[in-house]
């Protein structure tokens, strides 16, 4: 896990690369890679690549990046892990390729030399990388299918720049920080900035599952090589042919796929620990770590003084799971005083505004205090196994409101009439939104996951910003684009949306910035394309057989009944109380009237947007 950056002066009249800019951008990402800092500059001064290293695989100097091929044709800078690199290496060696390191980085060079841009289809892992092809005079960038690892870029028509962080690109000093209305509006709608937009108009995110090439003409449009919606759609299309599969065979296949993903995610030359809550996802993964042969497992759980003796306190149940799987377990207590002391660092590390990530900040901090460089997280289990209420609520809303929504103007009129009544009785402001948006999957999802509703934005932002932002963002069309074919099941539709929007733009991004701020790599075995294909196919054929219960039973020693039967909480923090106790501009909120007595997430969003 690392921080990467680069500059390509592609236009013939562009100035050569400013070496100091490359170094400023690279070193802004120092926490992402405290183990080394290197740079590569082309002889003609038109190309430069930077790298900050967190050594996980091949700890020797032969793993140093940027890494050049033996013939000097290719140079790569890479952030992430390729979990199947050993199998890929063996195949390449059989074809005559000669390796000089034990790193997964070198595999990328040889694989590109062998397969070109099609190489991305062979990779299993989390990655964002750039390869300079000196022969073709092309810069090739790629990002993993789920978007676990970030990659941002800016193109001013003369020079192309990229990095692992938005703030790192700005730190280079050559890119404007002018705000993007789409990013501003997107943050208020979702609580995070939806890709490909960022908070800066000049900077874009390379979308997940996409590649990008830059040549002498400039940056081409990103090309998608993977779609989560397509995986679910194809699985549903095959369902009739698989409907008679034996339940035992399905269970065995899923257990094998889960164990296989965990086994791949344990590939490292340093110890791999785990975040452990009282939930099924993290507990099952710890059990699977033991099942696939991990001998020593360090686990860490967060606890909060405010939760002592309450259902939100996960520490006792988590400790029971740790005992069941014989881990070296630590319970780390976090206080409000520590939150307030860390808040400046949290806001500085937060690459783009987000209402989440505080939990990951503290559990990553705790893991690093234990000396860990790598930790396993249960993130992704709810998206994969349908654990969110949205899997129940959204299809129900769509079925109930589909017919009324087809009446022109009905939803908007009904919402406007209902809004005063709903506000008077203290219901959520989202309730009227159901009348306007709830008849389609895209609209219902906007209501279910929305932080503020579109009609509220003018009370938060300048009306012109709202107008331009909504026009550029096109939120309903953006949600619609992540849906599988209309023939797909309700589960497939919600799973596609949760994975491609909420998980990608919020959970994965928050995990990245919050963990890398502590120089910790977080791996997510339940966010794995090979596993996704197996689970999607099994669920399309036999929906009743694919559940969190199966995940709980997947280790050789199943999770205790107390964990399987417990209501979901996940890693939680008393942040609502902490934020309400802080001074967050109460007078301004009263003037607006929108945030007085609002849910803490809305108050937190207003605090973040003002920074």
């Amino acid at each position: 896990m690392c921080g990467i950056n680069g500059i390509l002066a592609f236009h013939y009249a562009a100035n050569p690369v400013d070496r100091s800019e490359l170094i400023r951008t690279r070193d802004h990402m120092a926490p992402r890679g405290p183990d080394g800092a290197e740079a590569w500059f082309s002889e003609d001064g038109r190309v430069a690549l930077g790298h900050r290293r967190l050594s996980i695989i091949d700890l020797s100097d032969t793993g140093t990046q940027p890494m050049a091929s033996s013939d000097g044709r290719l140079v790569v800078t890479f952030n992430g892990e390729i979990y199947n690199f050993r199998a890929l290496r063996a195949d390449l060696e059989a074809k005559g390729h000669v390796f000089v390191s034990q790193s997964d980085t070198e595999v990328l060079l040889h694989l590109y030399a062998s397969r070109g841009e099609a190489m991305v289809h062979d990779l299993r892992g989390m990655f964002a990388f750039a390869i300079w092809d000196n022969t073709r005079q092309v810069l090739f960038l790629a990002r993993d299918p789920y978007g676990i690892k970030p990659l941002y870029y800016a193109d001013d028509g003369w020079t192309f720049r990229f990095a692992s962080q938005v703030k790192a690109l700005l730190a280079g000093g050559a890119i404007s920080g002018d705000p993007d209305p789409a990013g501003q509006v997107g943050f208020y709608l979702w609580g995070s900035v939806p890709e490909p937009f960022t908070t800066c108009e000049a900077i874009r995110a390379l979308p997940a599952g996409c590649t990008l090439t830059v040549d002498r003409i400039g940056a081409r449009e990103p090309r998608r090589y993977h779609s989560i919606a397509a995986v679910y759609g194809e699985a549903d299309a095959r369902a009739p042919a698989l409907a008679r599969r034996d339940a035992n065979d399905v269970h065995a296949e899923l257990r094998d796929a889960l164990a296989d993903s965990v086994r791949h995610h344990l590939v490292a030359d340093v110890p791999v620990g785990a975040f452990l809550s009282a939930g099924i996802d993290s507990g099952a993964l710890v059990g699977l770590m033991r099942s696939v042969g991990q001998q020593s497992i360090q686990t860490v759980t967060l606890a909060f003084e405010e939760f002592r003796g309450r259902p939100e306190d996960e520490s006792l149940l988590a400790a029971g799971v740790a005992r069941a799987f014989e881990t070296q377990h630590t319970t780390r207590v976090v206080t409000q005083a520590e939150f307030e002391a860390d808040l400046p660092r949290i806001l500085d590390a937060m690459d783009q505004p987000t209402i989440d990530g505080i939990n990951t900040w503290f559990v990553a901090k705790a893991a690093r205090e234990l000396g860990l460089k790598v930790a396993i997280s249960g993130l992704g289990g709810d998206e994969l196994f349908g654990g969110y209420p949205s899997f129940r609520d959204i299809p129900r809303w769509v079925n109930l409101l589909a017919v009324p929504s087809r009446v022109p103007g009905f939803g908007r009129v009904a919402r406007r009439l209902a809004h005063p009544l709903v506000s008077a009785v203290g219901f959520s402001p989202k309730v009227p939104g159901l009348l306007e948006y709830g008849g389609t999957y895209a609209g219902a999802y906007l209501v279910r996951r929305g932080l503020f509703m579109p009609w509220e934005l003018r009370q938060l932002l300048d009306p012109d910003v709202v107008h331009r932002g909504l026009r550029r963002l096109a939120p309903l069309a953006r949600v619609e684009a992540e849906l599988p074919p209309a023939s797909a099941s309700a589960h497939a539709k919600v799973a596609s949306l949760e994975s491609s929007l909420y998980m990608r733009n919020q959970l994965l991004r928050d995990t990245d910035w919050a963990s890398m701020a502590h120089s910790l790599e977080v791996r997510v075995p339940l966010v794995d394309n090979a596993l996704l294909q197996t689970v999607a196919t099994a669920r399309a054929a036999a929906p009743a057989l694919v559940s969190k219960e199966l995940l709980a039973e997947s280790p050789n020693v199943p999770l205790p009944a107390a964990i399987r039967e417990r209501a979901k909480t996940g890693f939680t923090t008393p942040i609502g109380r902490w934020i309400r106790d802080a001074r967050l501009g109460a007078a301004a909120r009263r003037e607006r009237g929108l945030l007085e007595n609002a849910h803490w997430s809305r108050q937190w969003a207003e605090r973040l947007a003002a920074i």
Side-chain angles (χ1 to χ4, degrees):
M1 193 72 66
C2 307
I4 64 173
N5 70 299
I7 305 174
L8 169 59
F10 62 83
H11 194 280
Y12 73 92
N15 292 325
V17 168
D18 180 344
R19 294 189 173 217
S20 63
E21 179 193 346
L22 183 95
I23 301 305
R24 284 193 300 272
T25 299
R26 184 198 69 187
D27 290 349
H28 186 84
M29 301 181 290
R32 299 185 72 93
D35 297 334
E38 299 292 341
W40 172 87
F41 299 91
S42 65
E43 291 183 1
D44 64 3
R46 313 295 293 180
V47 191
L49 302 177
H51 190 265
R52 296 286 320 199
R53 187 182 186 194
L54 180 64
S55 303
I56 303 296
I57 294 176
D58 188 355
L59 310 184
S60 72
D61 290 342
T62 61
T64 298
Q65 298 184 53
M67 182 182 291
S69 60
S70 58
D71 60 5
R73 172 196 163 195
L74 306 173
V75 186
V76 65
T77 185
F78 161 50
N79 171 32
E81 307 291 353
I82 307 302
Y83 299 125
N84 64 335
F85 82 96
R86 288 173 180 153
L88 292 172
R89 173 178 174 143
D91 182 64
L92 289 162
E93 286 178 326
K95 295 176 180 177
H97 291 257
V98 178
F99 288 77
V100 297
S101 77
Q102 298 299 314
S103 71
D104 52 347
T105 305
E106 190 179 3
V107 169
L108 294 177
L109 288 171
H110 287 276
L111 192 62
Y112 178 88
S114 176
R115 296 206 57 200
E117 296 175 11
M119 66 178 290
V120 291
H121 297 287
D122 294 342
L123 302 177
R124 182 177 187 179
M126 53 180 183
F127 54 84
F129 63 81
I131 295 177
W132 171 246
D133 185 334
N134 192 54
T135 301
R136 295 175 57 212
Q137 292 287 289
V138 167
L139 183 68
F140 174 66
L141 301 96
R143 190 170 173 218
D144 66 72
Y146 271 99
I148 303 170
K149 292 293 100 192
L151 189 56
Y152 301 99
Y153 67 93
D155 178 4
D156 62 9
W158 299 70
T159 301
F160 180 89
R161 299 169 171 88
F162 69 89
S164 298
Q165 294 178 213
V166 170
K167 289 182 178 178
L169 283 171
L170 294 175
I175 299 174
S176 169
D178 290 347
D180 188 336
Q184 292 175 286
V185 166
F187 169 66
Y188 274 116
L189 285 179
W190 304 106
S192 61
V193 181
E195 66 176 42
F197 301 103
T198 72
T199 51
C200 300
E201 198 166 23
I203 301 175
R204 287 286 174 271
L206 178 63
C210 285
T211 62
L212 178 68
T213 57
V214 191
D215 56 23
R216 293 177 180 177
I217 298 175
R220 306 303 176 94
E221 285 297 311
R223 297 179 60 182
R224 183 174 293 279
Y225 70 88
H226 182 275
S227 165
I228 293 172
V231 172
Y232 278 107
E234 291 164 6
D236 274 12
R238 295 194 303 270
L242 303 171
R244 295 185 178 181
R245 296 183 66 194
D246 182 81
N248 291 330
D249 291 342
V250 173
H251 282 174
E253 183 179 86
L254 288 170
R255 288 191 181 97
D256 288 346
L258 286 163
D260 178 67
S261 183
V262 169
R263 188 180 296 108
H264 274 85
H265 283 74
L266 293 177
V267 173
D269 293 328
V270 297
V272 180
F275 300 160
L276 183 59
S277 71
I280 288 175
D281 302 339
S282 63
L285 290 180
V286 170
L288 285 165
M289 290 171 70
R290 181 67 73 197
S291 296
V292 301
Q294 184 86 345
Q295 295 300 310
S296 178
I297 305 174
Q298 174 72 61
T299 53
V300 59
T301 296
L302 294 185
F304 305 91
E305 189 63 35
E306 290 91 335
F307 288 166
R308 188 179 299 275
R310 294 170 51 187
E312 295 92 336
D313 186 0
E314 303 186 355
S315 60
L316 294 179
L317 283 173
V321 175
R323 286 192 297 272
F325 296 118
E326 299 179 336
T327 75
Q328 292 79 54
H329 187 62
T330 298
T331 299
R332 171 66 152 78
V333 178
V334 180
T335 66
Q336 182 172 350
E338 184 178 5
F339 166 75
E340 292 174 352
D342 278 12
L343 188 55
R345 292 181 58 210
I346 292 171
L347 297 177
D348 183 60
M350 191 181 290
D351 199 40
Q352 297 188 80
T354 170
I355 61 169
D356 208 345
I358 305 300
N359 50 352
T360 306
W361 169 275
F362 284 111
V363 73
K365 180 181 180 181
R368 199 64 171 115
E369 289 169 348
L370 294 171
L372 289 171
K373 275 186 158 184
V374 183
I376 295 291
S377 166
L379 192 158
D382 290 311
E383 290 80 2
L384 198 61
F385 291 97
Y388 292 131
S390 57
F391 283 88
R392 176 191 67 246
D393 294 342
I394 291 175
R396 186 176 61 193
W397 295 344
V398 171
N399 290 336
L400 180 66
L401 298 168
V403 173
S405 70
R406 297 191 186 104
V407 179
F410 168 80
R412 182 172 298 181
V413 172
R415 185 258 299 170
R416 288 176 174 172
L417 292 174
H419 187 265
L421 177 62
V422 168
S423 299
V425 297
F427 285 175
S428 167
K430 292 184 180 184
V431 173
L434 277 176
L435 300 174
E436 182 172 358
Y437 297 109
T440 67
Y441 274 88
Y445 188 78
L446 175 63
V447 174
R448 188 67 183 80
R449 281 295 182 192
L451 181 62
F452 292 93
M453 292 293 96
W455 64 86
E456 297 180 290
L457 296 177
R458 290 179 181 272
Q459 299 179 64
L460 298 161
L461 294 165
D462 181 272
D464 182 60
V465 171
V466 174
H467 175 73
R468 290 187 294 130
L470 286 174
R471 184 177 60 190
R472 282 166 54 79
L473 183 63
L476 288 178
R478 191 156 301 280
V479 176
E480 189 77 35
E482 302 296 344
L483 283 167
S487 59
S489 67
H491 177 93
K493 292 174 182 177
V494 178
S496 296
L497 295 177
E498 292 287 29
S499 299
S500 302
L501 297 170
Y502 175 58
M503 183 171 75
R504 177 177 298 162
N505 292 321
Q506 186 126 50
L507 300 184
L508 290 174
R509 189 184 301 157
D510 288 342
T511 296
D512 179 79
W513 70 259
S515 62
M516 293 310 297
H518 298 290
S519 305
L520 180 79
E521 173 177 296
V522 175
R523 297 182 176 183
V524 281
L526 298 178
V527 185
D528 177 84
N529 189 45
L531 178 61
L532 169 66
Q533 294 182 36
T534 300
V535 172
T537 299
R539 199 185 192 289
L545 300 181
V546 183
S547 66
K548 282 291 192 78
E549 184 65 22
L550 183 143
L551 177 61
E553 295 175 352
S554 58
N556 291 344
V557 177
L559 286 178
I563 300 297
R564 296 201 305 267
E565 297 167 3
R566 181 177 182 266
K568 173 183 169 53
T569 60
F571 273 128
T572 58
T573 71
I575 187 172
R577 172 178 166 181
W578 295 347
I579 288 175
R580 286 195 177 97
D581 287 350
R583 296 190 173 204
L584 302 180
R589 293 204 306 274
R590 280 195 294 271
E591 287 178 10
R592 291 181 176 182
L594 182 64
L595 296 177
E596 191 67 19
N597 300 317
H599 187 270
W600 69 263
S601 60
R602 291 181 151 216
Q603 297 179 16
W604 184 228
E606 183 69 357
R607 164 82 181 260
L608 295 173
I611 294 174

